[in-house]
Amino acid sequence: MMHDMSFALPQLLRGLGVTLEIGAIVVTAGSLAGFAVGLSLLYGGFLVRLAARAYVDTIRGLPVLVLIFAIYFALPGFGLRFSAFQSGITALSIFAAAHIAEIVRGGIGSIPGAQVDAAKAVGLTFWQRLRLVILPQAVRRMVPAWVNVAVEIVKGSALLSLLGIIELLLAMQNVVGVTFSPLPFYGVTAFLYFAVNFTISRLGGLLEKRFAYLKY
Amino acid sequence: MGAYHFNWFLAWQSFPRFYWGLALGLELAGLSLVIGSVVGMAGAFGRSFGPAWLRLIVVAYVEFIRNIPLLLLVYFAFYGLPKLGIYVFDNVWSFIVALSVYSGAYLTEVFRAGVNSVPVGYTEAAKAVGLAPWQRVRLITLPVTFRIILPSLSNTFISLFKDTALASALAVPELTYAAEWLNVNTFRTIEAWTFATVMYLFAGYGIAFILRRVERRYAVIR
């Protein structure tokens, strides 16, 4: 048993590293893209708004797994060839971007219109209004939902095991396949996922508390 | 690499497979919602009115389940439970068990919010007319709670329906598995995933449309 653990733990930790890597890349890419899509939802022209809305509603209406498989299997049909890792990252980022776009829209939309009017009255341009007045207030309100998306991404990264990417879940399956003792490794893996996500939630909680003095 | 040749007819021929896959997905989600609601109701009452140790257990259950991937839970139900001597579940029931445990954690929070938002005056009025504690719960608290949380329940149902895609990992023949089957057996990859995508979207938004009407019908009058 201890022998199994000393064999398994390095593999699981390497898997955890890949999971964290996927999480970091996807959250970064998804946040950037989601921010752009969210702004398009709010301020785009009719066509841009329509396209952004269609994108967000389509992706949010689909299971992530279908998105992952569709990108992994179907894109080569269009002549786009990605590795499993690239497909997985792309699919999860597309998924994250749709959810973050909706969060950005909600966060900015919740800022009272009078703030914008006041910013216009003192002569700020559109980007100045966004950067100096709206975003500093809106970002605070996005934090809880944004943290939820980060947790969902870490959980969603487990689905990439189905593409053969050796992240934490597939590392666990590999270890179980060799040792034939699933229960301890299911336990360790569940604990590792829990530790990562609980940490993310707690950090998000700290951020929220940090900004909690602002109430209006 | 040559150009991709579409063959929609081949995909159309396996429409029954997709259709019954969709139906099975809805069944899985519905059953898990029902079982998860029972778990969630028990959890919510335990958390709100139970002794300290029970509250601790409920909090631990909710926090733990909400922070691990569903796929891990699904594998555990299918590969892990037999190692504990529980042999009774085939792949479909393993998945239902996993999804119910998963949804139970989310629904505990849903029911807790609902139970806590029942106005105190209702309970006081029920006490005043002489209802026993169990009668208060059955006749006043639960019906009002259900009306309050109906929108959350329908959102949970839709997200559970999307989660049933994971059942394909256990070869449960639902919609995603149908797409995988078509993909692997005919190499009609784009057709297969287009079909699955369209069907998931239609089903998801169709259900949402219907449930919004049901919600309006049963909305709490304030």
Side-chain angles (χ1 to χ4, degrees), chain B:
Chain B
M1 182 181 162
Y4 185 87
H5 294 283
F6 283 93
N7 186 345
W8 291 99
F9 181 68
L10 203 56
W12 180 247
Q13 272 182 320
S14 53
F15 179 75
R17 195 179 284 273
F18 282 79
Y19 175 80
W20 290 112
L22 179 69
L24 180 60
L26 290 173
E27 280 173 46
L28 295 175
L31 261 174
S32 305
L33 184 74
V34 171
I35 303 175
S37 293
V38 174
V39 174
M41 226 183 306
F45 276 100
R47 171 96 192 261
S48 298
F49 308 116
W53 60 269
L54 187 60
R55 287 180 204 203
L56 194 70
I57 290 177
V58 174
V59 171
Y61 161 67
V62 170
E63 287 299 318
F64 184 69
I65 296 295
R66 292 212 303 179
N67 282 315
I68 62 170
L70 176 58
L71 193 55
L72 181 65
L73 217 52
V74 170
Y75 284 154
F76 177 75
F78 191 61
Y79 299 110
L81 285 186
K83 285 273 176 181
L84 291 172
I86 301 169
Y87 297 102
V88 288
F89 302 123
D90 61 358
N91 55 352
V92 173
W93 279 98
S94 301
F95 183 77
I96 292 175
V97 167
L99 195 57
S100 302
V101 169
Y102 187 73
S103 67
Y106 286 87
L107 288 167
T108 297
E109 291 295 289
V110 168
F111 274 94
R112 193 168 68 93
V115 167
N116 289 344
S117 63
V118 173
V120 191
Y122 286 25
T123 319
E124 286 169 356
K127 278 182 192 165
V129 296
L131 295 184
W134 169 239
Q135 286 177 315
R136 289 205 296 271
V137 169
R138 187 167 58 87
L139 299 172
I140 310 293
T141 312
L142 275 185
V144 179
T145 301
F146 259 106
R147 287 192 171 214
I148 293 174
I149 65 172
L150 203 55
S152 309
L153 280 185
S154 48
N155 286 344
T156 307
F157 177 69
I158 291 169
S159 84
L160 286 180
F161 169 58
K162 290 192 282 180
D163 286 336
T164 58
L166 295 199
S168 64
L170 300 184
V172 174
E174 44 67 64
L175 188 46
T176 306
Y177 190 74
E180 278 177 51
W181 183 91
L182 189 66
N183 186 5
V184 170
N185 285 293
T186 67
F187 296 118
R188 300 295 97 211
T189 50
I190 296 179
E191 293 90 330
W193 295 106
T194 309
F195 254 51
T197 301
V198 170
M199 288 182 76
Y200 269 115
L201 289 179
F202 260 95
Y205 284 107
I207 296 166
F209 177 77
I210 296 168
L211 290 179
R212 292 290 107 84
R213 311 204 120 196
V214 175
E215 281 161 27
R216 230 176 295 149
R217 168 75 181 71
Y218 287 103
V220 183
I221 299 149
R222 288 178 198 273

Side-chain angles (χ1 to χ4, degrees), chain A residues 69-93:
Chain A
F69 281 153
I71 286 182
Y72 181 62
F73 289 118
L75 283 191
F78 293 112
L80 296 164
R81 310 194 65 144
F82 291 142
S83 70
F85 189 76
Q86 290 165 336
S87 318
I89 294 277
T90 310
L92 282 181
S93 302

Side-chain angles (χ1 to χ4, degrees), chain A:
Chain A
M1 172 60 219
M2 282 323 289
H3 173 72
D4 281 356
M5 247 339 154
S6 63
F7 156 78
L9 218 47
Q11 298 206 29
L12 291 180
L13 290 180
R14 218 172 304 146
L16 179 66
V18 177
T19 290
L20 292 178
E21 187 190 344
I22 295 170
I25 297 174
V26 169
V27 168
T28 310
S31 298
L32 292 176
F35 190 68
V37 177
L39 290 185
S40 315
L41 278 175
L42 283 164
Y43 304 116
F46 179 71
L47 280 182
V48 174
R49 257 197 345 257
L50 195 70
R53 184 39 66 198
Y55 164 74
V56 169
D57 284 355
T58 306
I59 300 302
R60 278 164 39 107
L62 274 184
V64 206
L65 186 59
V66 170
L67 193 64
I68 291 169
F69 281 153
I71 286 182
Y72 181 62
F73 289 118
L75 283 191
F78 293 112
L80 296 164
R81 310 194 65 144
F82 291 142
S83 70
F85 189 76
Q86 290 165 336
S87 318
I89 294 277
T90 310
L92 282 181
S93 302
I94 288 175
F95 170 77
H99 283 263
I100 286 175
E102 200 62 12
I103 293 170
V104 169
R105 189 193 59 80
I108 292 181
S110 74
I111 303 302
Q115 302 263 352
V116 181
D117 297 339
K120 278 181 190 165
V122 295
L124 298 183
T125 65
F126 174 78
W127 289 109
Q128 284 175 325
R129 291 202 295 276
L130 203 60
R131 189 166 57 84
L132 300 173
V133 179
I134 298 174
L135 281 183
Q137 305 179 65
V139 165
R140 279 164 207 164
R141 300 180 173 201
M142 298 173 199
V143 168
W146 185 78
V147 168
N148 275 346
V149 171
V151 170
E152 285 305 313
I153 293 306
V154 173
K155 287 163 71 178
S157 72
L159 299 183
L160 300 193
S161 66
L162 297 171
L163 301 186
I165 297 164
I166 308 179
E167 39 64 76
L168 184 50
L169 197 66
L170 191 53
M172 176 199 81
Q173 284 173 281
N174 289 344
V175 165
V176 170
V178 174
T179 61
F180 293 108
S181 60
L183 295 178
F185 300 121
Y186 276 97
V188 173
T189 307
F191 173 76
L192 288 177
Y193 273 116
F194 176 77
V196 171
N197 286 331
F198 196 69
T199 310
I200 295 176
S201 305
R202 274 296 125 98
L203 289 180
L206 285 183
L207 266 183
E208 266 174 68
K209 234 179 247 154
R210 165 81 181 69
F211 292 134
Y213 63 93
L214 283 156
K215 286 214 170 59
Y216 42 86

